Each structure stands twice: as structure tokens, then as C-alpha cells.
């Protein structure tokens, strides 16, 4: 902040009034309906409310809301309601007035905006990581209700960044970091390109002052040379455009300091190699929106007559605007000095949208017809995500942030519908994007009529078809290759749904174990138990318990006791108290807590009478009749059957010798699920032959199918229902006779 010259109260008041008049005059020259009266009232109200309060720099506080209103109006293009909300945005937070007061004086709409702004004022980075996520969620929630809250917040942030010196020093890092982390990408996503660039440069200037000064200096130094190249390049183009009778504005585009630095850092190149890559922008005047596209292409044609065109760098953002609303025609040609130069062609309308984002759309909005803008689609995505609250707030923040940063690709559905997705999106992202049910049952995709796996990464222009199967179920592994926040959220919701019964069963088991052993169910104890089983949280513990992947027993009691012995803290006390209360710990000494009706000393016959089995198959190894198996008596006294070669069985054998039971299969009528892996050389029709052989000739029920094809090879994972191992080996043998199949094995 520059030094404040001492002003008399009158002088200061005149300065404030002048600042406000600038806001009002800007508003009056805009296309909005003229509602001066309410703006003036809001200004007087805010001025009175903040009276006597100053910013750290010493200037009257009211200058901040005035500046925010000015940005909202003149740089974002918002109207009177937003200007009022901007003027009042700090009143509720910093003064004694309430939202109710605002409502009484200015009505519902403005009160609602001010309320939204007050709620998100805490910033995104709190003391705790989850608090960041919570605040961010609040921000987005308000956003999906009224986008203007976020736009005004953006104006507030921009002014705070412009005057970072007048913020408390301990807040400066936080504000700069937060700006780069979330506000700049959000501005980009909202199409506020100019604001995004300024926010980045301001944060960069604060966080890397030396690099900022160096690069700014280099830009200045190279100005002369750059101007010479630009005028050499642009002169023939301008002559052509003049001959065509166009009214236009042409200017050289210089990269921002931050983006030059970013490129130097990520590409490891010196300044000289970055700064040359500049662009020229042509903005032409045109009153008739229907003629814009034609004019863009005629300019394109004129330029390509003059310069050599880079073959793959033409971008038609007119036919398919970016998700943030951006429209323009970009081409790259070889300049006179042998460097590639990008030329951006836009109409005045497109330019305003590019600079001011969606707010500018309102200015040009003709009917109610184009309300279904891409932005609304994006807002809907956010709403979807918020409607499905993710228990892990950090994951939520990460996925959303990922989407804010992602650059975009455009793909087509078989019916020619356009989908805009983040770069690297997969077939499964498309499936989930279209509908939750499609995603959950997706087995593969067809990209440009070629079969591809779910994880296939799409490219712009791909035509994508989603293949589904009713028997497909969602897999946790899918999350590793999903890119869109929407797909991740929908997958998690689907997984939770399928996991819920097991988690509930696990909860009961856990509660019973606590009761049986007289151990209190509290945080220190749970923490230790999570540590013993290496699981991240209570839900996962319950899930694994419910799925019989882990068991609680004497082993755990002993382990906890041992931990308590070496622990002098709260935990040892809790555990000792628990021990005193219960006689159950004594019972543990003989080894088994469960009450097996099964006699481990006898061979247990695995039977399946009337479709009801007297055993349970372990999900880790899925044994079937004919496999070498062993039985394990679980906490409920049921017999769980594991394959002998199952790793989990090894652990059980080592830890719970007395609960292991020898078993023998009896001829059973039931069918069992088996996973078979097939590999071979891909050829047209091979999959159809494979499926036909299995389902038609052998009458085997296919439950699930995953296919991955890369270059000439294909891999196929098949889940079928069979009676025993004999049928499995028969099936593998037959499959191997198909021309091209190289391998067919059961996976356990
Ligand atoms: Mn503020």
C-alpha cells in the first residue's frame, strides 16, 4: 500500500463518494435495467454500517465493498442485485446487522446473496483439512443455488489479492495459497479468464517474488524485438482484413508472468523458448450472431493464404464451445521468423464471454431457450455430488479439484450427442456420466466401433458406445481409473449400497465382541483394533468382519492386552477397567471364544440340502466342489470353507489352529461362481465364438465378463456358475481349442 496522505474527514468522504460514483456510472453505461435507487440505498447502508472502521492500510473500510461492487459490475458484468450484495457483503459478518435486517431493507434475493457470502467467508483453508473441504462444499452448494454468490466472492477475492498488503501478514500466505489452489481454477471453470490470469499472477508475485521480478524484467527487455516480429507478422493480415471491409481490433497476446513461469518449470526450458510462443487476437464487430461463424472462417481463410498452417492445431470452439462457454476459432501458423504463432479469431460477443465468462451471456441472452447452458450442466454435476455426501471430505475435495483443473475433451455418443469430459476420461466415466445404472453395469465400451476395456482413455473426437450386462456389479478398483468427480461419486454410492449389508453384519459382530469381552467401545480401543488389522477406518473394519475377511477372537484380546501392558496412557487404563468388569477374559484362556457346535476333531461333510448349505464359501478364494479345502469355524459358529492354497487360510491355520476343521465335499446340486482368465490373439469374431461355446454349447451360465484388448492381444475375465472342478477343466480344455486362444485358466 502506498503511503496515506493525511486527509480531512471531508476530503476522505469526497474520495469515498467519488469511488461510488465510478461504480454507478459504470452500471449506467451497461446494458442492465437501470435500478439506481436500490444501489444507492445499499451504498448508504453499507457506508453507515462500516462507519469508523478502517483496513490495515488505514483507508476507510467502505472502500473495499465499493471496489468489490465495481469489479462485480465492470469486470464480471453483473447487475444491480449483485452490485447491492457486493456493497453489503461484509455487513453481516463485520457489523451488528443481521441477514434479517438486510432482508427488511433490500428484500429476499439480496439477503440470500449476502447470507451466502457470509457463510463462505471463512475461506477454504481452515486449521483442519476437513474444514477446508467443508467450506469448499459450502461454497459449491451456494453456487449451485445461485451462481452470483460465487461470482461476487470472486470479485471479493480479486480485490483482496490486489490489496494483499493491507491484509494481516499471517493471512497473506493463506490467501495467496488458497487463491492459486482453488479460486484461480474456479475462475477458469466459470470462464472468467481475465480474472483467472490476474489471480494467478498476483499469487505468484506474492509467493515467488524473485522469479516474478526476473520474468517481468525479461518480458520488458524483450518488448522491442517482440513488437517488431508482431508488426511484421500482423501487417499483411491487417491489410487483408481492411480490404475485406471488416471492423476489428487486432492485438498481440503476451503470456502472463505466471504461465511463462509455469511453462519454464514444467517443460524445463529457458525464458527465451517460452516467450516467443505468443499469440495474436482478432476481435471483430458484428451485430448479427448468425454471421459470426462465417466471418471467423473467412478470416481463417485469409490468414492461411498468407502463412503456412500448422496441420493439427486448428481449434473450432465455435461449433463446440468449451464447457465454460468459451467460443473462438484458433489456428496456428508459421510466422516470418520461423516460429509458430497462434491466432485467435472472435467476435466482440465471443470476446466478452471469454473475458467475463457466463455473466456476459446474460447480456446477450435472447430468449429463455438457451438457459440449458453447459454451465448449468456443470452446476448440476456439483449438485449430484453434494446430494451424495462423501464421508471422506478430503476425497471429495480432491475429486472436485481435479475436475476444476482438468482440460477438456469432446466425445460423441452413437446418436451424435456431444459430451464434454475432462482429459483422460475413460469409457466408464462416460457410462457413469450418462446414468448411474449404466455405469454400475458397464462391462466394456466401443470406441470408434472397436471393443475396448472400461479403463480405456478417450481422445477428443472419439465416438463412444457403452456396453452393459445385467450381471455386472461395481468394483472398488474402478475408482483408480475414473477421472470425473461425478463418476467417482456415483461409483462410491453404488459400492456403499452393495457393502452396506456386510458392514451392518460386521457392526453386529463387533458389538457382540465388545459385549462378550467387556471391552468398552471407544476411540482409543477402536484405533488400536484398526492398527492390528491394518484397516483405515471403522467402516472398513466392519466390512471386512461382515465379509469374513477378518475375525475377532482371543487373538485380538491378547494383542490388546499386550499393547495395554506397554502403554501407560489412556488406553492402558481403559483396557484394564474393561478387564476388571468381565469374567469373559478368563474364558479366552482355553483358546476359543466361539461355541462350536461343530466338532473340530471330526471330518465335516459339506452338504447342500434343499438349496441350503451347511457351510459358507470364503469370498477370498471361492472354492468349489472338487477343490482341496479346509473349514474354519467363524465367530458365529458357522463353517467357512477356504481353499487350502488360499493365503488367508495360511493365516488362519497359523493363528487359530483349534478352529480349523477337516472337510469333505458331498455330491451337491448347487452351482458355484468361478473366475476364468482367457488370453489370446485378437481376431474378428473370436469373442462371439467364445461366448457361444460357453453359453450355448456347454450351457454354462455366464455371470460377468470383462474384456481388455490391446494391439493384437486380448484378455478376457469370465465369471461362470458351475457345479464342480470337473466342469471347469472341461471348459478350459474346450476354450483352448478355439483358434487364437492361448491360455484358459481358473483364477482363485
Ligand atoms: Mn470482503
Amino acid at each position: 500500500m502506498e503511503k496515506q496522505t493525511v486527509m480531512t474527514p471531508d476530503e476522505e468522504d469526497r474520495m469515498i463518494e467519488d469511488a461510488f460514483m465510478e461504480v454507478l456510472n459504470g452500471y449506467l453505461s451497461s446494458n442492465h435495467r437501470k435500478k439506481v435507487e436500490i444501489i444507492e440505498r445499499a451504498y448508504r447502508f453499507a457506508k453507515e454500517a462500516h462507519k469508523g472502521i478502517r483496513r490495515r492500510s488505514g483507508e476507510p473500510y467502505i472502500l473495499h465493498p465499493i471496489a468489490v461492487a465495481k469489479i462485480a459490475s465492470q469486470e464480471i458484468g453483473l447487475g444491480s442485485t449483485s452490485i447491492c450484495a457486493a456493497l453489503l457483503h461484509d455487513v453481516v459478518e463485520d457489523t451488528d446487522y443481521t441477514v434479517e435486517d438486510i432482508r427488511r431493507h433490500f428484500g429476499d434475493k439480496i439477503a440470500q446473496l449476502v447470507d451466502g457470502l457470509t457463510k463462505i467467508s471463512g475461506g477454504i483453508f481452515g486449521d483442519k483439512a476437513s474444514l477446508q473441504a467443508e467450506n469448499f462444499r459450502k461454497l459449491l452448494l451456494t453456487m449451485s443455488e445461485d451462481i452470483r454468490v460465487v461470482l461476487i466472492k470472486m470479485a471479493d477475492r480479486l480485490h483482496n489479492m490486489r490489496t494483499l498488503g493491507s491484509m494481516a501478514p499471517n493471512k497473506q500466505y493463506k490467501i495467496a495459497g488458497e487463491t492459486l489452489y482453488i479460486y484461480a481454477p474456479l475462475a477458469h471453470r466459470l470462464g472468467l479468464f481475465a480474472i483467472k490470469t490476474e489471480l494467478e499472477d498476483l499469487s505468484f508475485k506474492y509467493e515467488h517474488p524473485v522469479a516474478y521480478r526476473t520474468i517481468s524484467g525479461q518480458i520488458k527487455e524483450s518488448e522491442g524485438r517482440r513488437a517488431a516480429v508482431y508488426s511484421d507478422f500482423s501487417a499483411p493480415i491487417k491489410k487483408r482484413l481492411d480490404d475485406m471491409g471488416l471492423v476489428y481490433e487486432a492485438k498481440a497476446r503476451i503470456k502472463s508472468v505466471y504461465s511463462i513461469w509455469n511453462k519454464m518449470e514444467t517443460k524445463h526450458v529457458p525464458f527465451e523458448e517460452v516467450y516467443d510462443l505468443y499469440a495474436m487476437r482478432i476481435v471483430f464487430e458484428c451485430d448479427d450472431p448468425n454471421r459470426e461463424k462465417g466471418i471467423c472462417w473467412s478470416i481463417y481463410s485469409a490468414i492461411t493464404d498468407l502463412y503456412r498452417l500448422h496441420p493439427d492445431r486448428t481449434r473450432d470452439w465455435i461449433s463446440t464451445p468449451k464447457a465454460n462457454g468459451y467460443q473462438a476459432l484458433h489456428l496456428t501458423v508459421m510466422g516470418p521468423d520461423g516460429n509458430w504463432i497462434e491466432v485467435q479469431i472472435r467476435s466482440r460477443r465471443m470476446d466478452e464471454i471469454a473475458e467475463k465468462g457466463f455473466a456476459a451471456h446474460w447480456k446477450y441472452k435472447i430468449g429463455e431457450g438457451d438457459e440449458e447452458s453447459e454451465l448449468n450442466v456443470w452446476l448440476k454435476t456439483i449438485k449430484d455430488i453434494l446430494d451424495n455426501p462423501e464421508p471422506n471430505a478430503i476425497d471429495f475435495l480432491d475429486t472436485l479439484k481435479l475436475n476444476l483443473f482438468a482440460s477438456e475433451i469432446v466425445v460423441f455418443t452413437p446418436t451424435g450427442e456431444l459430451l464434454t469430459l475432462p482429459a483422460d476420461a475413460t469409457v466408464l466415466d462416460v457410462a457413469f456420466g450418462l446414468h448411474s445404472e449404466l455405469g454400475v453395469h458397464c462391462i466394456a465400451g466401443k470406441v470408434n466401433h472397436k471393443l475396448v476395456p472400461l479403463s480405456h482413455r478417450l481422445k477428443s473426437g472419439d465416438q463412444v458406445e457403452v456396453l452393459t450386462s445385467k450381471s455386472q456389479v461395481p468394483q472398488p478398483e474402478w475408482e483408480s481409473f475414473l477421472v470425473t468427480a461425478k463418476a467417482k461419486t456415483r461409483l462410491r454410492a453404488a459400492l456403499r449400497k452393495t457393502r452396506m449389508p456386510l458392514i451392518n453384519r460386521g457392526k453386529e459382530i463387533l458389538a457382540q465382541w465388545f459385549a462378550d469381552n467387556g471391552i468398552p467401545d471407544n476411540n482409543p480401543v477402536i484405533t488400536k483394533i484398526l492398527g492390528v488389522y491394518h484397516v483405515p477406518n471403522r467402516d472398513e473394519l466392519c466390512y471386512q468382519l461382515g465379509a469374513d475377511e477378518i475375525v475377532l477372537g482371543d487373538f485380538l484380546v491378547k494383542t490388546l492386552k499386550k499393547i495395554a501392558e506397554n502403554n501407560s496412557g489412556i488406553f492402558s487404563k481403559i483396557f484394564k477397567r474393561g478387564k476388571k468388569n468381565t469374567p469373559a477374559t478368563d474364558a479366552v484362556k482355553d483358546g476359543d471364544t466361539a461355541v462350536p457346535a461343530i466338532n473340530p476333531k471330526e471330518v465335516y461333510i459339506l452338504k447342500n440340502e434343499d438349496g441350503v448349505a451347511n457351510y459358507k464359501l470364503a469370498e477370498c478364494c471361492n472354492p468349489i466342489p472338487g477343490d482341496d479345502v479346509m473349514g474354519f469355524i467363524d465367530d458365529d459358529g458357522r463353517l467357512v470353507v477356504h481353499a487350502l492354497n488360499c493365503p488367508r487360510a495360511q493365516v488362519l491355520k497359523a493363528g487359530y489352529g483349534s478352529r480349523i476343521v477337516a472337510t469333505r465335499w458331498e455330491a451337491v446340486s448347487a452351482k458355484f461362481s468361478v473366475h476364468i482368465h482367457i488370453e489370446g490373439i485378437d481376431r474378428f469374431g473370436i469373442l462371439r465364438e467364445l461366448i457361444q461355446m460357453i453359453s450355448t454349447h456347454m450351457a454354462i451360465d455366464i455371470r460377468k465378463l470383462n474384456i481388455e484388448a490391446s494391439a493384437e492381444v486380448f484378455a478376457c475375465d469370465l465369471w461362470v456358475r458351475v457345479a464342480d472342478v470337473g466342469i471347469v477343466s472341461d471348459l478350459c480344455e474346450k476354450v483352448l481349442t478355439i483358434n487364437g486362444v492361448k491360455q484358459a485358466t481358473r483364477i482363485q
Side-chain angles (χ1 to χ4, degrees), residues 61 64 89-90 156:
Y61 193 87
H64 165 66
H89 83 271
D90 279 333
D156 182 29

Side-chain angles (χ1 to χ4, degrees), residues 222-279:
S222 59
E223 223 165 52
R225 213 201 110 192
R226 214 175 36 241
V229 174
Y230 174 72
S231 90
D232 277 0
F233 174 73
S234 61
I237 297 177
K238 284 181 178 168
K239 183 166 184 316
R240 282 288 196 105
L241 300 185
D242 289 339
D243 291 347
M244 288 159 71
L246 290 170
V247 181
Y248 65 93
E249 189 190 333
K251 56 189 168 198
R253 291 289 305 166
I254 306 155
K255 274 181 177 295
S256 71
V257 180
Y258 175 73
S259 70
I260 290 176
W261 177 77
N262 212 1
K263 195 148 202 168
M264 286 166 64
E265 287 286 298
T266 54
K267 299 253 160 82
H268 304 286
V269 290
F271 175 80
E272 290 69 31
E273 280 178 42
V274 181
Y275 91 105
D276 266 336
L277 299 170
Y278 60 85

Side-chain angles (χ1 to χ4, degrees), residues 594-614:
V595 277
I598 304 161
N599 182 355
K601 296 199 170 77
E602 279 173 23
V603 173
Y604 189 84
I605 312 292
L606 303 170
K607 279 186 284 204
N608 213 320
E609 279 160 348
D610 303 323
V612 181
N614 67 345

Side-chain angles (χ1 to χ4, degrees), residues 407-420:
S407 53
E408 290 159 353
I409 58 167
V410 176
V411 301
F412 301 89
T413 67
T415 54
E417 196 192 330
L418 258 173
L419 303 172
T420 307

Side-chain angles (χ1 to χ4, degrees), residues 168-179:
N170 62 334
K171 280 188 174 175
Q172 292 178 356
Y173 269 108
K174 184 189 134 184
I175 289 173
E178 191 178 274
T179 298

Side-chain angles (χ1 to χ4, degrees), residues 211-221 257:
Y212 182 87
R213 269 201 304 277
T214 310
I215 294 173
S216 306
Q218 285 168 311
I219 291 175
K220 239 192 156 98
E221 238 168 68
V257 180

Side-chain angles (χ1 to χ4, degrees), residues 6-241:
V6 183
M7 287 190 196
T8 65
D10 278 355
E11 280 169 347
E12 198 171 77
D13 194 60
R14 204 166 313 128
M15 175 184 73
I16 293 169
E17 293 293 321
D18 285 351
F20 174 66
M21 279 321 286
E22 276 180 45
V23 176
L24 210 54
N25 289 335
Y27 170 72
L28 286 168
S29 64
S30 76
N31 282 9
H32 288 281
R33 281 184 292 159
K34 314 298 181 211
K35 287 190 186 166
V36 177
E37 187 268 336
I38 194 163
I39 296 177
E40 284 197 320
R41 265 204 299 126
Y43 162 63
R44 302 281 162 220
F45 190 95
K47 192 179 171 188
E48 190 55 38
H50 293 297
K51 192 174 185 163
I53 299 163
R54 291 173 185 276
R55 297 187 96 194
R56 275 178 55 88
S57 60
E59 61 175 20
Y61 193 87
I62 185 66
L63 287 174
H64 165 66
I66 291 175
V68 174
K70 191 176 175 190
I71 294 169
S73 165
Q74 293 171 24
E75 295 180 49
I76 304 181
L78 296 168
S80 61
T81 308
S82 305
I83 293 173
C84 292
L87 286 167
L88 296 164
H89 83 271
D90 279 333
V91 166
V92 173
E93 195 181 6
D94 296 346
T95 75
D96 292 336
Y97 289 103
T98 64
V99 175
E100 271 320 303
D101 296 327
I102 305 280
R103 194 185 317 278
R104 262 204 322 281
H105 285 89
F106 302 99
D108 279 346
K109 199 69 234 178
I110 291 171
Q112 205 182 314
L113 292 177
V114 173
D115 188 31
L117 285 159
T118 307
K119 278 187 188 138
I120 57 178
S121 71
I124 291 154
F125 290 144
D127 293 335
K128 288 180 198 150
S130 61
L131 205 66
Q132 304 167 18
E134 193 43 46
N135 280 327
F136 185 45
R137 210 167 102 189
K138 262 193 246 162
L139 179 84
L140 294 168
L141 196 67
T142 343
M143 173 163 166
S144 51
E145 271 162 26
D146 194 329
I147 185 80
R148 287 178 293 188
V149 173
V150 174
L151 295 172
I152 298 164
K153 182 73 193 166
M154 208 59 93
D156 182 29
R157 176 49 54 116
L158 182 58
H159 186 246
N160 284 337
M161 283 303 293
R162 283 178 182 167
T163 56
L164 202 58
S166 59
M167 307 297 290
N170 62 334
K171 280 188 174 175
Q172 292 178 356
Y173 269 108
K174 184 189 134 184
I175 289 173
E178 191 178 274
T179 298
L180 211 51
Y181 182 79
I182 214 76
Y183 283 93
L186 196 55
H188 177 72
R189 202 61 175 77
L190 292 167
L192 303 166
F193 191 74
I195 289 182
K196 172 217 166 203
T197 307
E198 191 178 344
L199 286 176
E200 281 176 350
D201 273 358
L202 288 169
S203 320
F204 174 60
K205 183 179 171 182
Y206 184 79
E207 292 195 326
H208 302 275
V210 176
Y212 182 87
R213 269 201 304 277
T214 310
I215 294 173
S216 306
Q218 285 168 311
I219 291 175
K220 239 192 156 98
E221 238 168 68
S222 59
E223 223 165 52
R225 213 201 110 192
R226 214 175 36 241
V229 174
Y230 174 72
S231 90
D232 277 0
F233 174 73
S234 61
I237 297 177
K238 284 181 178 168
K239 183 166 184 316
R240 282 288 196 105
L241 300 185

